[in-house]
Amino acid sequence: MTNRRDFIRITAYGAGAFAMSGGFLQAVKAFSSPEKSGALKVDLTRTPTYCEICFWKCAGWVYKSEDGKIWKIIGNDEDQHCNGRFCPRGTGGIGMYADEDRLKTPLIRTGERGKQVFREAGWDEALEYIASRMKTIKANHGAESLALFTHGSGSSYFTPLLKAFGSENIAEPSYAQCRGPRDDAFLWTFGEEVYSPEITDIRDTKCLVLIGSHIGENMHNGQVQEMSDAIDKGATIITVDPRFSTAAGKSKYWLPIKPSTDIALLLSWIHEIIYNEYYDKKYVERYCLGFEQLREHVKTFTPEWAYGITTLAPDLIRKTAREMADASPAVIVHPGRHVTWYGDDTQRTRAIAILNALLGSWGRRGGFYRPVRITLPSHPMPEFPVPGKTWTDLFPGQYGAATGVVSNAMIDASIPGNNPGYPIKGWIVNGTNLINTIPNQANTLNAIQNLDLLVAIDTMPAEITGWADVVLPECTYLERYDTLRTGPHRKPAIALRMPATEPLYDSKPGYWIARELSKKLGLENYFPYEKQEEILDWQLKQIGSSLDEMKKTGVKTFEREADDLYYAPDEEVAFATDSGKIELYSAAFEGLGFDPLPKYTPHEEPPDGFYRLIYGRAPMHTFGRTANNAYLTDLMDENTVWINPKIAKIWDLANDQYIWLQNQDGVTSEFPIKVRITERIRWDSVYMVHGFGHAQKQMKRCYGRGASDTQLITRALVDPLMGGTGMRGNFVTIVTEKAEKEVAS
Amino acid sequence: MRYAMAVDTKKCVGCSDCVVACQTENKVPVGYCRDWIVEVTDGTYPQLEMEIRSERCNHCENAPCVRCCPTGASHFAEGGIVLVTPNQCIGCGACIASCPYDARFPHPDGHVDKCTFCIHRIKNGLKPACAAVCPTKCIYFGDLDDPNSEVSVILKKRKSKTLIPEAGTVPHLYFLI
Ligand code: SF4
Ligand code: SF4
Ligand code: SF4
């Protein structure tokens, strides 16, 4: 399977153009640029950017007032990601730049780790300190003992730095803590992932099925926009959620499922679709492998069977299966995005992939479109050294189906007692607040106490910076260039981010930080350009554009080479799976010792007096990253705990009352959280928005506001296939008095 | 000319983008807002219904705030837009008390503030900032006297309501239901 893993690693959408090898060149020139008449005028009052408040990366314009101050950020009309409309977080992006609590200067720890005693340092000294520790780790343990945890644009610079140093231990928590199971499930089924932005053709769908996906509360901009278009066109929306989400409120069918039973529902839908012969016979015959085994497998999974598990009426299951069939192939059973729930998440999203295959939606209008992207040439660079060991040598034999690097495996390997194949001794943490990202905080802190080096690179004094040896202040996206955005979409396109203003304080762009550090390590030949704009201009010229042109347009969209947004009728398709077919039955999983077809396994249920902790998003925040943004805290400055009225009555709770939550392991939320009594949540669960309850005093607006779900997620249900940390197996009870703590004001 | 706005409650997701866009466009100080979101849930689990509305000044045809303003700072501008002239406003708050929609607030600079229908933008042929930014495109704006305007067309096509019609204010803010 090594070959397959390598194959996937190359095709998987990930690092920016700069991190790609020269061998990845594509005939980009084949794309013709649309003719534009009339000369372009430079608008001096605005500069192009693409948003960094979330991963959707909408392209827009930063406008300044006459006094030179940033005034507003508005979407770029030419951009496919946003169609000229930013979401509230992007519109409020100025708050990230203007935040007076930002990291201002490099810091070096002087006190005990975690006690937050730092002294200010110059860049040279801070980088020298890091480089010397890195060299010591390399000398004592090997370069692989240094790990990078990364999120966002900075990944494009710290990834090559780490590779040049000799380590491929580069993990994005967005894999094992978020969308990994989904990406793997689709890769192993269709030979292709669903990318970001997802290739869901929502604007043309006739039926959109959301399983725990709360589009509209997650502001994944393009999807929200297209869901609205679909509503206009009369599409049927089916929402499966124990909570009456915003999307449920817009749905023709809401299935108030008992949490943790989704696989049973999916299997019974598959049963209905097969045994009523609703499936797309031609499609299945032509493209799919393993239909007979699947048919046999789901034989007994009737809606009546599922009723006893999911609490959903058989009639409702039948009707919704029929709706999907009627819409087929213009139907999307949405793969979701944050899918690390119960530890069998790869199998659940496999069931979703299988359902889509049966409905013939993959590669079809109103289902999943065929994405294209531009691969920019990267300038010639020395080869990276081949590391002696990778993350798979940390705990050999684990997570055989993983196609990404498992961050929690690297954290576990930082704890000597876990007897890893080799130790992880240093972390560089870029743009990800591991304390509030990784479940089981005690484990993360234990790992940190065993490190020889912890560097945190961020714009804000997020919790992780408090544990670092060296803190490096990165400037915000409004103050820097970054790699060109080339993400996949319906049409190939590029977008430019350029600084709208000079960096505040002594903060620096990620590119500069990585390059300066490379010099201290003798690796500067991997960063031959002093300024990032030189690379951008060079790359743009290779595809017939230039930095000057992009400064005027912000976005450049090309035409597709061919009319192939969907498969042609009867097209021969070679899927990038082992068999070249859509694998309903996964022989590969079987070979790895996993179930070749998804099974339903019951999950633990909350004990008496406890409720399942469910968390999600609010449209005005991105994780905890925006929690201190003045514009966005103005919209929502704390989370609430949603409690069903029946439960509120039992506990004698009132709306707006502050309570604490205590989980099954006796961990109590550090801060109190406001009660919201609402019919919108099931009686066996409570719900809160993720990203609040910050314990970092330096973030003044969000310190102590609301509760942190991560703190209460001490138990991770780890997916044996790929290491994803399921986070919905935690139960909380209600604590109304906690004398020693006060409500933070 | 009679400017009006219609918000589609079937599409609005309550994201508050209209609120931030208004704040930045109109330099409304953080902590204040000219538009806001209301969510109404009816029923018992799992028989539920929800309506989400983006609300603001209704630019009433029969505006109590204009009637009660002692200085004439509150007035009708072109197209029936209800405006406050800051330097004529003495901050007495009579209009705030008279507005049934709670659409007005005391600006920290000492005058009363509220939604202007982004008159500075519509004069330049642009949509109000909230309508221009809304990711679900659920805010329609235009001239009721022009049968082909976006707002006239959608109001003809869809069922709609206004808020507190019994107050007799004749609002120009409609909600598509
Ligand atoms: S969806 Fe919103 S936060 Fe994400 S990139 Fe787009 S504007 Fe920014
Ligand atoms: S921006 Fe649009 S969708 Fe969002 S709350 Fe306002 S009106 Fe509703
Ligand atoms: S019309 Fe303009 S002033 Fe009124 S709420 Fe919308 S953005 Fe604000």
Side-chain angles (χ1 to χ4, degrees), chain A residues 378-396:
Chain A
S378 63
H379 62 82
M381 213 205 279
E383 295 253 320
F384 292 122
V386 180
K389 298 175 211 126
T390 67
W391 76 271
T392 52
D393 301 307
L394 291 170
F395 299 103

Side-chain angles (χ1 to χ4, degrees), chain A residues 20-98:
Chain A
M20 284 171 186
S21 67
F24 215 65
L25 276 182
Q26 254 185 24
V28 251
K29 295 221 175 64
F31 298 117
S32 60
S33 173
E35 289 296 314
K36 284 247 169 76
S37 56
L40 288 160
K41 269 197 217 117
V42 196
D43 187 339
L44 288 174
T45 61
R46 65 179 200 184
T47 46
T49 189
Y50 61 87
C51 182
E52 179 86 357
I53 309 287
C54 91
F55 42 73
W56 209 262
K57 300 187 179 152
C58 302
W61 300 104
V62 184
Y63 286 82
K64 288 200 218 168
S65 309
E66 271 144 29
D67 58 6
K69 289 215 178 96
I70 296 180
W71 168 30
K72 59 179 180 180
I73 309 175
I74 303 290
N76 186 323
D77 289 335
E78 302 301 315
D79 182 36
Q80 299 174 93
H81 293 227
C82 77
N83 307 300
R85 292 162 188 264
F86 267 21
C87 88
R89 301 161 301 159
T91 305
I94 318 160
M96 182 181 187
Y97 159 78

Side-chain angles (χ1 to χ4, degrees), chain A residues 65 71-74 84-89 91-92 94 215-216 219 221 224-225 227-229 231-232 241-246 249-250 254 256-257 619-620 630-632 634-635 644 676 679-683, chain B residues 8-17 19-33 39 41 43-50 52 120-121 127 130-138 140 158:
Chain A
S65 309
W71 168 30
K72 59 179 180 180
I73 309 175
I74 303 290
R85 292 162 188 264
F86 267 21
C87 88
R89 301 161 301 159
T91 305
I94 318 160
I215 297 181
M219 282 311 282
N221 198 342
V224 178
Q225 296 193 12
M227 184 168 88
S228 178
D229 295 342
I231 292 172
D232 261 345
D241 204 314
R243 186 175 64 94
F244 189 67
S245 60
T246 300
K250 316 255 175 239
W254 170 42
I257 195 167
M620 54 293 273
Y631 282 97
L632 305 179
D634 203 18
L635 302 174
N644 184 282
R676 174 181 179 185
E679 292 285 354
R680 292 179 58 191
I681 184 75
R682 258 178 86 104
W683 58 89
Chain B
D8 189 346
T9 63
K10 298 282 182 216
K11 293 200 291 180
C12 174
V13 292
C15 70
S16 308
D17 203 2
V19 181
V20 205
C22 176
Q23 284 177 321
T24 57
E25 172 69 29
N26 295 303
K27 299 189 174 146
V28 179
V30 167
Y32 299 84
C33 57
E39 176 207 303
T41 309
T44 312
Y45 194 99
Q47 242 62 56
L48 294 170
E49 265 179 52
M50 181 164 57
I52 307 177
H120 64 293
R121 287 175 59 94
K127 286 182 181 175
C130 52
V133 81
C134 171
T136 68
K137 286 165 270 173
C138 76
Y140 301 82
R158 294 274 303 273

